[in-house]
Amino acid sequence: MPYVTKREDVQRPCPPVNLGIGLARAGKKVLLADMDAQGSMTASLGFQQPDKLKVTLATVLSSIINDGLPQDGFSMLRHGESVDLLPANIELSGMEVMLVNTMSRETDLREFLKEVCGSYDAVVLDTMPSLGLLTINALAAADQVIIPV
């Protein structure tokens, strides 16, 4: 379920984070995915140095583009509020360029989420405030979309 907004301020990741934590408190297993290269959601969950993380959305998408779906297990970050996080960092900004030349570029995220969704009751995607290929990937992967007005 992507959270899509044109708002570009510091509080933008609050609604998707609160939604995810609320679902977790209701007993759901939740994955939060930060799809913004600024890593606002990642930072808001306490991971202040996203460039030092080994597994990020950029590394996952790069693996899919270059090698297909990751076969070996990788771990999401676990937050104290009982949600898992697929973090983002500045490397994600290069993924827009990489996706331009990729076949079926709008479905790469959907293919990955199909693999991991069986482990989660809900996946909340915090998209960047633009309609680039990453946001299109999020929309293509979604069953539901939240667009605040």
Side-chain angles (χ1 to χ4, degrees), residues 23-59:
L23 289 169
R25 287 182 179 172
K28 304 293 184 190
K29 185 153 185 192
V30 179
L31 172 63
L32 299 175
D34 191 348
M35 298 193 63
D36 187 348
Q38 292 179 356
S40 300
M41 175 185 270
T42 301
S44 74
L45 288 169
F47 300 97
Q48 299 298 322
Q49 297 181 325
D51 293 335
K52 294 185 178 181
L53 299 172
K54 292 185 189 277
V55 176
T56 64
L57 182 59
T59 60

Coordinates of all heavy atoms in Angstrom, one line a residue, residues 23-59:
L23 N -0.9 -0.7 12.5 CA -1.2 -2.1 12.1 C -0.5 -3.2 12.9 O -1.0 -4.2 13.2 CB -0.9 -2.3 10.6 CG -1.8 -1.5 9.6 CD1 -1.2 -1.5 8.2 CD2 -3.2 -2.1 9.6
A24 N 0.8 -2.9 13.2 CA 1.6 -3.8 14.0 C 1.0 -4.0 15.4 O 0.9 -5.1 16.0 CB 3.0 -3.4 14.1
R25 N 0.5 -2.8 16.0 CA -0.1 -2.9 17.3 C -1.4 -3.6 17.3 O -1.9 -4.1 18.3 CB -0.3 -1.5 17.9 CG 1.0 -0.9 18.3 CD 0.8 0.5 18.9 NE 2.1 1.1 19.3 CZ 2.3 2.3 19.7 NH1 1.2 3.1 19.8 NH2 3.5 2.7 20.1
A26 N -2.0 -3.7 16.1 CA -3.3 -4.4 16.0 C -3.0 -5.9 15.7 O -3.9 -6.7 15.4 CB -4.1 -3.8 14.8
G27 N -1.7 -6.3 15.8 CA -1.4 -7.7 15.6 C -1.0 -8.1 14.2 O -0.8 -9.3 13.9
K28 N -0.8 -7.2 13.3 CA -0.4 -7.5 11.9 C 1.1 -7.5 11.8 O 1.8 -6.8 12.5 CB -1.0 -6.5 10.9 CG -2.5 -6.3 11.0 CD -3.2 -7.5 10.5 CE -4.7 -7.3 10.5 NZ -5.4 -8.5 10.3
K29 N 1.6 -8.3 10.9 CA 3.0 -8.3 10.6 C 3.2 -7.4 9.5 O 2.6 -7.5 8.4 CB 3.5 -9.7 10.3 CG 5.0 -9.8 10.1 CD 5.6 -11.1 10.3 CE 7.1 -10.9 10.2 NZ 8.0 -11.7 10.1
V30 N 4.1 -6.3 9.7 CA 4.1 -5.2 8.8 C 5.6 -5.0 8.3 O 6.5 -5.0 9.0 CB 3.6 -3.9 9.4 CG1 3.7 -2.7 8.5 CG2 2.2 -4.1 9.9
L31 N 5.7 -4.7 7.0 CA 6.9 -4.3 6.4 C 6.7 -2.9 5.9 O 5.8 -2.5 5.2 CB 7.3 -5.2 5.1 CG 8.5 -4.7 4.3 CD1 9.8 -4.7 5.1 CD2 8.6 -5.5 3.0
L32 N 7.6 -2.0 6.3 CA 7.7 -0.6 5.9 C 8.8 -0.5 4.9 O 9.9 -1.0 5.2 CB 7.9 0.4 7.0 CG 6.9 0.4 8.1 CD1 7.4 1.3 9.3 CD2 5.6 0.9 7.6
A33 N 8.6 0.0 3.7 CA 9.6 0.2 2.7 C 9.8 1.7 2.4 O 8.9 2.4 2.0 CB 9.3 -0.6 1.4
D34 N 11.0 2.2 2.6 CA 11.3 3.6 2.3 C 11.8 3.7 0.8 O 12.7 3.1 0.4 CB 12.5 4.0 3.2 CG 12.7 5.5 3.2 OD1 12.2 6.2 2.3 OD2 13.5 6.0 4.1
M35 N 11.0 4.4 0.1 CA 11.3 4.5 -1.4 C 11.7 5.9 -1.8 O 11.6 6.3 -2.9 CB 10.0 4.1 -2.2 CG 9.6 2.7 -1.9 SD 8.4 2.1 -3.1 CE 9.3 2.2 -4.6
D36 N 12.3 6.6 -0.8 CA 12.8 8.0 -1.0 C 14.3 8.0 -0.8 O 14.7 7.6 0.3 CB 12.1 8.9 -0.1 CG 12.4 10.4 -0.4 OD1 13.3 10.7 -1.1 OD2 11.7 11.3 0.2
A37 N 15.1 8.4 -1.7 CA 16.5 8.4 -1.6 C 17.0 9.3 -0.4 O 18.2 9.1 0.0 CB 17.2 8.9 -2.9
Q38 N 16.2 10.2 0.0 CA 16.6 11.0 1.2 C 16.6 10.1 2.5 O 17.1 10.5 3.5 CB 15.7 12.2 1.4 CG 15.9 13.2 0.3 CD 15.0 14.4 0.4 OE1 14.1 14.4 1.3 NE2 15.2 15.4 -0.4
G39 N 15.9 9.0 2.4 CA 15.8 8.1 3.6 C 15.1 8.7 4.8 O 15.4 8.3 5.9
S40 N 14.1 9.5 4.5 CA 13.3 10.1 5.6 C 12.7 9.1 6.6 O 12.7 9.2 7.8 CB 12.3 11.1 5.1 OG 12.9 12.1 4.3
M41 N 12.0 8.1 6.0 CA 11.4 7.1 6.8 C 12.4 6.3 7.6 O 12.3 6.0 8.8 CB 10.6 6.1 6.0 CG 10.0 4.9 6.8 SD 9.1 3.7 5.8 CE 7.5 4.4 5.8
T42 N 13.5 5.9 6.9 CA 14.6 5.2 7.6 C 15.1 6.0 8.8 O 15.3 5.5 9.9 CB 15.8 5.0 6.6 OG1 15.2 4.2 5.5 CG2 16.9 4.2 7.2
A43 N 15.4 7.3 8.6 CA 15.9 8.1 9.7 C 14.9 8.3 10.8 O 15.2 8.3 12.0 CB 16.3 9.5 9.1
S44 N 13.6 8.4 10.4 CA 12.5 8.6 11.4 C 12.4 7.4 12.3 O 11.9 7.5 13.4 CB 11.2 9.0 10.8 OG 10.6 7.9 10.2
L45 N 12.8 6.3 11.8 CA 12.7 5.0 12.6 C 14.0 4.8 13.4 O 14.2 3.7 14.0 CB 12.4 3.8 11.7 CG 10.9 3.8 11.3 CD1 10.7 2.8 10.2 CD2 10.0 3.6 12.4
G46 N 14.9 5.8 13.4 CA 16.1 5.7 14.2 C 17.4 5.2 13.6 O 18.4 5.1 14.2
F47 N 17.3 4.9 12.3 CA 18.5 4.5 11.6 C 19.2 5.7 10.9 O 18.9 6.1 9.8 CB 18.2 3.4 10.5 CG 17.5 2.2 11.2 CD1 16.2 2.1 11.2 CD2 18.3 1.2 11.8 CE1 15.6 1.0 11.8 CE2 17.7 0.1 12.4 CZ 16.4 0.0 12.4
Q48 N 20.0 6.4 11.7 CA 20.6 7.7 11.3 C 21.7 7.6 10.3 O 22.1 8.7 9.7 CB 21.0 8.4 12.6 CG 19.9 8.7 13.5 CD 18.8 9.6 13.0 OE1 19.1 10.5 12.2 NE2 17.6 9.2 13.3
Q49 N 22.3 6.5 10.0 CA 23.4 6.4 9.0 C 23.0 5.4 8.0 O 23.6 4.3 7.8 CB 24.7 6.0 9.7 CG 25.1 7.1 10.7 CD 26.4 6.7 11.3 OE1 26.7 5.6 11.6 NE2 27.2 7.7 11.6
P50 N 22.0 5.7 7.1 CA 21.5 4.8 6.1 C 22.6 4.4 5.1 O 22.5 3.3 4.5 CB 20.3 5.5 5.5 CG 20.5 6.9 5.7 CD 21.3 7.0 7.0
D51 N 23.6 5.2 4.9 CA 24.6 4.9 3.9 C 25.5 3.7 4.3 O 26.3 3.2 3.5 CB 25.5 6.1 3.5 CG 24.6 7.2 2.8 OD1 23.6 6.8 2.2 OD2 25.0 8.4 2.9
K52 N 25.5 3.4 5.6 CA 26.3 2.3 6.1 C 25.5 1.0 6.2 O 26.1 -0.1 6.6 CB 26.8 2.6 7.5 CG 27.8 3.8 7.5 CD 28.4 4.1 8.8 CE 29.4 5.2 8.7 NZ 30.0 5.5 10.0
L53 N 24.3 1.0 5.8 CA 23.4 -0.3 5.8 C 23.8 -1.1 4.6 O 23.9 -0.7 3.5 CB 22.0 0.1 5.8 CG 21.5 0.9 7.0 CD1 20.0 1.4 6.8 CD2 21.6 0.1 8.3
K54 N 23.9 -2.4 4.8 CA 24.2 -3.4 3.8 C 23.0 -3.7 2.8 O 23.2 -3.8 1.6 CB 24.8 -4.7 4.3 CG 26.1 -4.5 5.0 CD 26.6 -5.8 5.5 CE 27.9 -5.7 6.3 NZ 29.1 -5.5 5.7
V55 N 21.8 -3.9 3.4 CA 20.6 -4.2 2.6 C 19.7 -3.0 2.6 O 19.3 -2.5 3.7 CB 19.9 -5.4 3.2 CG1 18.6 -5.6 2.4 CG2 20.8 -6.6 3.2
T56 N 19.5 -2.4 1.4 CA 18.6 -1.3 1.2 C 17.7 -1.6 0.0 O 17.9 -2.6 -0.7 CB 19.3 0.0 1.0 OG1 20.0 -0.1 -0.3 CG2 20.3 0.3 2.1
L57 N 16.7 -0.8 -0.2 CA 15.9 -1.0 -1.4 C 16.7 -0.9 -2.7 O 16.5 -1.6 -3.6 CB 14.8 0.1 -1.4 CG 13.8 0.0 -2.6 CD1 13.1 -1.4 -2.7 CD2 12.8 1.1 -2.6
A58 N 17.7 0.0 -2.7 CA 18.6 0.1 -3.8 C 19.4 -1.2 -4.1 O 19.5 -1.6 -5.2 CB 19.6 1.3 -3.7
T59 N 19.9 -1.8 -3.1 CA 20.6 -3.1 -3.3 C 19.7 -4.2 -3.7 O 20.1 -5.0 -4.6 CB 21.4 -3.5 -2.0 OG1 20.5 -3.7 -0.9 CG2 22.4 -2.5 -1.6

